[in-house]
Amino acid sequence: MEDLQIAYYFAVIMIGFAALAISGFWAFKTQDANLRNFCILYATFTLVLILSVLTKYLTLNVEGYSGRAWYVLSGVYQAVNYGVIVATVNYFLGLHQTPAQKRIATLFWFSILIFIGILFLPFSTRLDETQNIIHLELGFQGLTIWYLLSFTYAIILAYKALQQAWNSDKRNFILGLLIFATFGYIESLLTFSQNLSASAVSLTVENGLLFSSIPYMLYGFFVIRHFMTFAPPTPIEVDTLSESFLSTHAITDREREIILKVIEGKSNATIASELFISLATVKTHLHNIYTKLGVESRFDLLAKVRSAK
């Protein structure tokens, strides 16, 4: 039975790697920031599943598995699990294109370091190596509350993104991610009171199935199917943009140059090289262009220019 479980987990992880590979391919090919952020999100959750399987394997199959190793691995698992929430917030903030998006995302990424620091302090967790028990203190309860609040914020952002994308071709992709995230959120809600009131956890051998692997596997199939049929807009031949288009959206001369480069299918790095500006400057101009046109990616930008022809 243990061998079957290990084989099952290995297959699930391979499905995750396949989904990550195909989404990463399109993120690299299109240079789309939203796809890149999605890959970061999916990679962090894949790492969570790997750590879960690794912990389970060590407790089941490694004789003399030390309490210290378990303590460190459990802490890494908790930190990466919180990293999933941060990556989710970062992804949906990117879709919203809010003025404060970068500041909020930076704050959440920085909060991972704070989370890790608090997690291993004595007022959060203490390891009793003689009995293989981790005592959970007040700091851990605070982290539990912060985790749920952050998860709630991520779900709210997801629902807002779905509302905005409901009439676009992104609807099904965002809906699939939201359903997947909702499973995890419901699980967090169901275990919240138990985690908040727990005073200690012990190193025990658990033979049960990791139920989180089931929605992960199903979502992996969804991601693979989505990107197998993924068709980004093809570059279009436009030598110039109409004066009405430029004036309506208050596009500057530099922004006009960048728009023309984008619709030719050129990457950010190529645009920076041809216009003799830095990559960061290109990204800043693109952010301003997206804001002015009310779009979220270069795909939407191509569609906007097509509609204006």
Side-chain angles (χ1 to χ4, degrees):
M1 187 64 179
E2 294 176 9
D3 292 338
L4 286 176
Q5 280 194 18
I6 292 173
Y8 162 74
Y9 294 140
F10 180 78
V12 170
I13 291 173
M14 288 301 100
I15 291 170
F17 280 146
L20 188 58
I22 191 171
S23 57
F25 167 79
W26 281 112
F28 177 78
K29 184 176 178 63
T30 62
Q31 296 292 306
D32 185 79
N34 292 331
L35 281 181
R36 180 200 62 206
N37 290 338
F38 171 77
C39 289
I40 294 172
L41 164 59
Y42 197 77
T44 52
F45 192 83
T46 301
L47 183 56
V48 166
L49 185 64
I50 291 173
L51 290 171
S52 299
V53 174
L54 178 61
T55 302
K56 192 177 186 67
Y57 176 82
L58 291 174
T59 55
L60 287 172
N61 297 281
V62 177
E63 187 176 353
Y65 176 48
S66 70
R68 174 63 60 178
W70 166 60
Y71 173 68
V72 173
L73 192 58
S74 297
V76 172
Y77 169 83
Q78 294 292 342
V80 176
N81 203 28
Y82 176 65
V84 173
I85 305 303
V86 174
T88 304
V89 169
N90 181 64
Y91 173 72
F92 285 114
L93 282 174
L95 292 180
H96 283 292
Q97 292 290 334
T98 58
Q101 177 252 332
K102 288 185 178 180
R103 292 192 295 272
I104 297 175
T106 301
L107 179 63
F108 267 93
W109 284 117
F110 181 72
S111 70
I112 294 180
L113 299 177
I114 300 175
F115 190 95
I116 295 173
I118 295 176
L119 185 63
F120 288 102
L121 288 176
F123 69 84
S124 291
T125 56
R126 289 185 298 105
L127 173 64
D128 184 345
E129 292 191 67
T130 59
Q131 299 185 32
N132 281 338
I133 292 177
I134 299 177
H135 295 280
L136 307 177
E137 308 295 344
L138 184 62
F140 183 83
Q141 295 174 355
L143 292 178
T144 301
I145 296 172
W146 173 246
Y147 175 87
L148 186 64
L149 290 175
S150 301
F151 206 162
T152 303
Y153 178 59
I155 293 294
I156 292 173
L157 288 176
Y159 273 100
K160 287 183 177 180
L162 179 62
Q163 185 179 20
Q164 291 179 353
W166 190 255
N167 294 319
S168 72
D169 56 357
K170 294 182 180 180
R171 179 184 62 187
N172 291 340
F173 185 72
I174 295 177
L175 179 61
L177 180 56
L178 178 57
I179 292 173
F180 177 54
T182 302
F183 273 104
Y185 185 66
I186 291 173
E187 182 181 5
S188 297
L189 285 176
L190 294 176
T191 59
F192 175 71
S193 59
Q194 178 184 348
N195 293 335
L196 198 62
S197 60
S199 60
V201 290
S202 59
L203 175 58
T204 57
V205 177
E206 297 181 0
N207 292 313
L209 179 71
L210 287 172
F211 288 102
S212 59
S213 64
I214 298 175
Y216 176 83
M217 177 180 62
L218 295 176
Y219 186 65
F221 283 127
F222 172 82
V223 171
I224 292 172
R225 182 181 180 278
H226 173 81
F227 284 107
M228 286 293 289
T229 57
F230 186 69
T234 56
I236 56 179
E237 295 183 2
V238 176
D239 296 327
T240 185
L241 299 172
S242 68
E243 288 299 325
S244 61
F245 179 85
L246 296 175
S247 60
T248 299
H249 300 288
I251 302 298
T252 66
D253 290 340
R254 178 62 83 185
E255 290 169 350
R256 176 184 57 80
E257 290 178 318
I258 290 177
I259 292 175
L260 290 174
K261 298 290 185 185
V262 168
I263 62 181
E264 290 174 6
K266 295 180 178 178
S267 67
N268 290 351
T270 302
I271 295 173
S273 176
E274 292 186 358
L275 295 181
F276 303 102
I277 56 179
S278 70
L279 184 60
T281 302
V282 173
K283 292 180 178 179
T284 299
H285 282 306
L286 278 175
H287 173 74
N288 294 336
I289 291 168
Y290 292 167
T291 301
K292 290 179 179 181
L293 298 182
V295 298
E296 299 173 352
S297 69
R298 59 179 59 215
F299 300 156
D300 298 336
L301 174 58
L302 286 172
K304 191 83 172 181
V305 173
R306 274 199 181 92
S307 66
K309 288 184 64 178

